[in-house]
């Protein structure tokens, strides 16, 4: 029995050390404070802001960033509007997350301190369709913390991701057939911690 326990202890130690070493270079998105925000426009002039919280993901030591944006956490400030956007427009039951992936330039991964502005091409997957979009970002890395925020919004048209025009029309009908734009300005605010 003693030999069995010793073997188990050695095995667990041999597994623990490599996993710890692998995880050492990774940054995790802080889901408590990382967000993606956008604003819808109706009647040409009425702007309604929305924020999606609970964003998760990680950045590995090779500079590969993977982010998941959960549509269930969409908050427009009006719960029925949240439901309508999720059910009628985003079809969140079928496509619950927006996925973002990007290769971070190597120079941003070096040194103890980085303060810069950079445009990073990211693959965005929404409604089952992927596109590459350019994000102009302020990036600050000090020690074990990275802060990333939009310099300017990225303009996204839902129909270009395959969201049918009928989905937007369905949302419009719930508010008296008001004209609603399928194009929104999107901002990101991420904090990653090692």
């Amino acid at each position: 029995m003693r030999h069995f326990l010793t073997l188990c202890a050695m095995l667990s130690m041999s597994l623990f050390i490599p996993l710890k070493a692998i995880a050492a270079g990774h940054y995790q998105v802080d889901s408590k404070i990382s967000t993606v925000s956008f604003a819808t426009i109706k009647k040409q002039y009425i702007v309604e802001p929305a924020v999606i919280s609970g964003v998760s993901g990680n950045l590995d030591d090779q500079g590969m960033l993977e982010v998941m944006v959960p549509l269930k956490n969409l908050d427009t400030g009006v719960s029925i509007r949240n439901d309508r956007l999720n059910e009628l427009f985003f079809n969140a039951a079928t496509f619950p997350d927006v996925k973002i992936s990007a290769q971070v330039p190597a120079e941003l991964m070096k040194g103890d301190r980085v303060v810069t502005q950079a445009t990073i091409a990211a693959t965005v997957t929404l409604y089952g369709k992927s596109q590459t979009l350019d994000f102009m970002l302020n990036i600050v890395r000090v020690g074990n913390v990275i802060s990333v925020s939009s310099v300017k919004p990225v303009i996204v048209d839902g129909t270009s991701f395959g969201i049918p025009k009928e989905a937007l029309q369905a949302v419009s009908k719930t508010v008296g057939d008001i004209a609603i734009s399928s194009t929104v300005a999107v901002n990101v605010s991420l904090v990653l911690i090692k």
Side-chain angles (χ1 to χ4, degrees):
M1 182 68 163
R2 181 182 297 171
H3 295 298
F4 177 72
L5 291 175
T6 303
L7 180 62
C8 287
M10 289 173 60
L11 184 58
S12 66
M13 287 298 288
S14 67
L15 289 174
F16 175 74
I17 292 169
L19 288 176
K20 187 175 179 183
I22 289 169
H26 285 62
Y27 287 83
Q28 295 294 317
V29 173
D30 187 335
S31 296
K32 293 177 186 169
I33 56 176
S34 296
T35 60
V36 171
S37 61
F38 63 92
T40 57
I41 301 170
K42 67 183 186 184
K43 290 186 177 180
Q44 291 185 306
Y45 306 109
I46 300 171
V47 179
E48 295 176 334
V51 65
I52 303 172
S53 59
V55 177
S56 63
N58 65 74
L59 172 67
D60 69 22
D61 53 3
Q62 303 302 311
M64 190 62 188
L65 176 67
E66 300 282 344
V67 175
M68 299 290 282
V69 183
L71 292 172
K72 69 178 181 182
N73 292 347
L74 170 67
D75 183 11
T76 64
V78 179
S79 62
I80 194 161
R81 189 184 305 145
N82 303 344
D83 295 340
R84 288 172 178 164
L85 283 172
N86 265 317
E87 293 168 15
L88 302 175
F89 186 71
F90 289 116
N91 189 9
T94 304
F95 306 105
D97 299 299
V98 178
K99 299 174 186 173
I100 304 168
S101 61
Q103 181 64 51
V104 175
E107 59 270 18
L108 299 180
M109 300 296 293
K110 295 177 183 172
D112 291 331
R113 184 175 180 270
V114 173
V115 178
T116 191
Q117 193 172 92
T119 299
I120 295 180
T123 301
V124 177
T125 303
L126 167 65
Y127 212 81
K129 185 174 179 181
S130 297
Q131 287 187 29
T132 301
L133 302 175
D134 288 334
F135 288 80
M136 183 181 247
L137 304 167
N138 282 333
I139 302 166
V140 177
R141 182 167 59 79
V142 179
N144 292 331
V145 178
I146 301 174
S147 175
V148 178
S149 59
S150 297
V151 172
K152 65 178 183 179
V154 175
I155 306 303
V156 177
D157 185 344
T159 59
S160 70
F161 280 91
I163 298 177
K165 290 181 182 176
E166 294 79 16
L168 189 60
Q169 290 167 352
V171 174
S172 175
K173 283 181 184 177
T174 66
V175 288
D177 285 324
I178 327 179
I180 302 173
S181 175
S182 65
T183 303
V184 296
V186 177
N187 289 290
V188 298
S189 176
L190 303 176
V191 174
L192 298 94
I193 300 172
K194 188 184 276 191

